[in-house]
Structure formats: C-alpha cells, structure tokens
Amino acid sequence: MARCLIVDDSRIIRKVARRIVENLGYEVDEAADGAEALAYCAALMPTAVLLDWNMPVMDGLTFLRRLRADPDGAKVKVIFCSVENQPERIREALGAGADDYVMKPFDGDIITSKFAEVGLA
Amino acid sequence: MIDPVILERLREMVRGRTGQLLDSSRAHGIETRLGAVARREGFASLDALMSALPAQGVDSLGWRVIEALLPGDTEFFRHREQFALLKDQLLPALAKARGRVRLWSAGCATGQEAYSLAVTAAEAHAPGIEILATDISEQAVQKARSGLYTQFEVQRGLSARRVLEWFEKDGEMWRAEPQLRGAVRFERANLLDPPPAGPFDMILCRNVLGDMEPERRLRVLESLSGVLASDGVLITAPSEPILAPGAPFRLVAGRRGVFVKAAPAERQVA
C-alpha cells in the first residue's frame, strides 16, 4: 500500500489530515517536526508527504531541501500545507521542490484535489 | 423539516422555469438556503417568504428563490480528464482548422469551468479562442464576472502554480488576472430560452442536462444542436445520461461525455 507521511506539529491537524488521506487509500504515518520526518524518510521513504511549514526543531522548508538533496527523496511527492498564504511564500516552497501547496485551512475536497493534481489519487 | 406542500410548490416552480428536477437528494439543505434568501430579502420567516411569492408566474423574488435551490457546486478543472483531452487534442485541432474558435460554457455557475477553459486554451497555445459563458443565475454570473474566489474555491481544482500564474491575492480572496477575465464573456441565460447566436465549435454543458426532465432535456439538446457547428462537439459530464431516442447527438466511441451531431438515421436508435 502507498504510504503518506503527515508532518505537522499540531496533533489535531495530523488527526484531521490522517482521516482524509486514509480515505484516499494511503497508509499514514505521522511526524511532529522536520527532523523527525527526515529520520522517518531515512528508514522508510514514503510515496507522499503532507508538510507543514512552521514547526519547532526543523521547519518544513529545511526538511524539504534536505529531502530533495537525497537521491531517494527526489521522487517523493511533497505537498506543502501551511497557513502561509502569501504568493511569495508559496513560490519559495515550490522553488524548493514542493509539488503543490495547500493553504490552510483545508478540507477533504482540497486535499483530494491536490493529490489528484500531483498524480497521486 | 420543510412543509411538504411548500416543498412541492418549490419543486414545481424550479421545474417550470428551468426544467430541473429537484429530487430528494437535491432537496437536501433547502431550508438553510431559503432561510438565507429570507434574511437577505428582509422576511421574518420562510413562511413569510413563501407567502410573498406569486401564486402564478415568477417575479424577481421567485428567481432569487430558484437560484438558491439550484445546485451551485462546481470547481476548477472539474472532470480533469476532459480538460486533458481539450488541451492535448481538441483545442489545438480546432485552432489549427479554424482562424477563430467559439466555445460556449452553457450552465457555467460561478465561472470555474469557463476560466478553466481559458487557462487550458492558453496552456495549449491555441490562439483565436473566444469563450461565452452563460448561467441561469444572475448572482452566479455576477460572481463569475468579478473573477473573485475564496481561498477554498481556488484550491478546489487549481494547482498552486496555476493559482500563482492566473490569480492575484486580493485581501483574503483571490482574483482572476485581467487577462483571464478578459478571455471570457459572461451572460445570464436560461437554456430553455432561445440560445445565443451560433455557430459554436464546442459547447460544454456539464452537470446540467442529467437532472433535467426528459422532455425539456430533448428540447435543450435540439437548441444546442441548432447553434453547434456541423462538425462541432458537445461535452457533458462523463457519466451524464443524455441520450434518448430522437436525441440529435451521438457519443464519440471511447470518449465519455463527448458527443457529435447525429445523422438523421442515427437519431431514432439512440
């Protein structure tokens, strides 16, 4: 089964997102910050990552740059998911290698639409 | 729970003026939607609103009620496989064959389909494409013309790249860029009335015909056929049932929701 890693420091967001992504047929794991997510990816590279921006220890952008620097991490579909909704911030995330970007708050339709957009659903 | 007598009256009003059948699944949430109309129009209750509606015919208040009852759910690039077909095959072929290509988005709701068409035409580098978009709801047409969408709306069907390329942030909303707004002409029109002047090379009428009563649907199909170029294409939603004996269209083999005009002999066997 395809695997999706949800990276967010909010337990509630992880819970809501998990329900949506599981409904799309993914096995879901969670990480609370970028460092935890990197350690996870080193052990088991997921198919997709739903990634928050502002987190303690390591933020989403730093995680993404490190992930993309790893040849195994280059193919993972990464969808940013953040309250940052300014065009320049979204451009920055896409420039760092995000496949798409969700502006919070989100709902099931938006996540489903984004997964389809990057060829995951 | 809405009074069954009121519900029946509303159903008849919608059916009479639009041909749309409001079955029980589509009747869901009617009270909430009508409650909003009642508040906006200054009525104390739903009953007061209903009493103000004319017993016969439909006035401007009646239209606002009808608009509130019709399904307005839509999204950008809905049925994305159809847009892929448009981008990769249909639009480039049409643009190459003709100097000027006319498209009609019939039943455009709040404009997402029409703007998706305009984005697709630009991405396909198909020049000379003119888009007319019409809807029965004046309110929907006004929103479509404004090109202003919530953050939720732009994220339904548009990638972040497309949002950044075709929209600008306007406070908490996102507004279609002038180039995109200028690519579509929006007008209010009822599909049961005479159609806009053709010919059109392609008509998109998606998620409209399927819930229409069969007689009216046939009438609308005749009217669409009348303004579609002889080699034009009609696109409906992929699984929308529109064919019946006498229908002036036939399905293109292997393409769900893509129709061309039927030869007279083909009409009887559909």
Side-chain angles (χ1 to χ4, degrees):
Chain A
M1 189 187 254
R3 195 174 287 274
C4 177
L5 180 66
I6 294 172
V7 190
D8 201 301
D9 57 335
S10 156
R11 197 176 57 80
I12 295 168
I13 297 279
R14 293 201 304 269
K15 191 176 163 186
V16 173
R18 169 187 277 274
R19 201 172 305 144
I20 296 168
V21 175
E22 279 179 346
N23 272 335
L24 293 174
Y26 284 82
E27 193 157 311
V28 171
D29 282 310
E30 299 177 15
D33 63 70
E36 207 180 288
L38 266 186
Y40 178 97
C41 292
L44 181 64
M45 197 58 82
T47 315
V49 177
L50 196 61
L51 180 64
D52 186 20
W53 192 311
N54 300 307
M55 294 176 288
V57 188
M58 183 191 288
D59 67 24
L61 201 61
T62 309
F63 161 80
L64 179 58
R65 289 189 171 126
R66 299 234 185 131
L67 180 76
R68 291 307 192 208
D70 174 348
D72 290 338
K75 281 182 284 182
V76 180
K77 297 289 185 188
V78 177
I79 300 173
F80 245 104
C81 186
S82 168
V83 289
E84 301 279 355
N85 65 0
Q86 292 305 318
E88 56 273 22
R89 297 293 266 172
I90 300 172
R91 255 181 220 109
E92 193 179 0
L94 295 175
D99 294 281
D100 211 333
Y101 195 106
V102 173
M103 295 174 267
K104 285 178 183 169
F106 58 82
D107 62 10
D109 286 350
I110 290 175
I111 298 290
T112 305
S113 164
K114 294 290 180 180
F115 268 61
E117 189 64 41
V118 301
L120 281 170
Chain B
M1 199 54 195
I2 194 160
D3 183 331
V5 178
I6 293 185
L7 182 59
E8 198 42 49
R9 199 176 147 207
L10 291 169
R11 276 191 172 136
E12 190 46 42
M13 208 162 99
V14 171
R15 192 196 63 77
R17 289 303 295 173
T18 72
Q20 293 284 324
L21 299 173
L22 219 54
D23 65 19
S24 41
S25 67
R26 298 173 90 201
H28 179 75
I30 269 187
E31 270 180 296
T32 317
R33 282 178 275 161
L34 285 185
V37 177
R39 276 191 299 281
R40 227 174 21 239
E41 302 294 326
F43 292 98
S45 67
L46 181 52
D47 284 345
L49 169 70
M50 290 306 294
S51 318
L53 290 177
Q56 289 178 340
V58 171
D59 62 0
S60 62
L61 178 63
W63 270 112
R64 285 194 283 280
V65 168
I66 289 173
E67 287 183 0
L69 297 178
L70 291 174
D73 56 319
T74 181
E75 62 183 56
F76 290 95
F77 289 88
R78 188 175 189 183
H79 310 304
R80 66 183 62 230
E81 69 282 6
Q82 293 189 326
F83 282 96
L85 177 71
L86 284 168
K87 181 178 173 181
D88 298 338
Q89 297 182 33
L90 295 178
L91 291 180
L94 277 170
K96 199 173 165 193
R98 301 165 164 65
R100 172 180 176 233
V101 179
R102 296 189 70 211
L103 311 183
W104 176 21
S105 165
C108 68
T110 40
Q112 284 91 330
E113 174 179 281
Y115 287 129
S116 302
L117 268 177
V119 168
T120 303
E123 289 179 351
H125 305 293
I129 296 202
E130 294 171 14
I131 304 169
L132 170 69
T134 64
D135 196 82
I136 196 166
S137 163
E138 179 62 39
Q139 224 177 329
V141 167
Q142 277 176 17
K143 177 177 164 101
R145 254 186 221 131
S146 77
L148 205 55
Y149 296 96
T150 66
Q151 189 168 287
F152 272 99
E153 287 167 332
V154 288
Q155 295 198 93
R156 290 206 178 98
L158 286 176
S159 67
R161 279 184 185 80
R162 278 183 172 142
V163 173
L164 292 180
E165 186 170 358
W166 296 102
F167 291 78
E168 55 199 356
K169 203 159 188 313
D170 187 340
E172 286 308 302
M173 307 282 279
W174 291 81
R175 189 187 291 278
E177 293 274 4
Q179 188 199 339
L180 190 55
R181 290 208 305 279
V184 185
R185 187 160 56 89
F186 289 100
E187 282 175 14
R188 190 199 163 272
N190 186 342
L191 288 174
L192 298 181
D193 294 336
F200 294 96
D201 301 296
M202 188 187 298
I203 300 174
L204 279 88
C205 188
R206 307 187 311 159
N207 305 295
V208 176
L209 297 162
D211 292 310
M212 211 171 239
E213 59 177 344
E215 264 172 46
R216 300 280 185 93
R217 182 193 302 141
L218 200 55
R219 207 173 103 195
V220 172
L221 285 172
E222 288 290 355
S223 134
L224 297 181
S225 170
V227 291
L228 186 64
S230 56
D231 56 350
V233 178
L234 168 70
I235 298 184
T236 68
S239 51
E240 222 171 353
I242 67 153
L243 290 184
F249 289 97
R250 68 176 166 82
L251 188 64
V252 175
R255 297 287 184 200
R256 292 166 72 220
V258 181
F259 298 85
V260 291
K261 286 192 181 187
E266 291 172 316
R267 283 182 168 220
Q268 303 311 317
V269 295

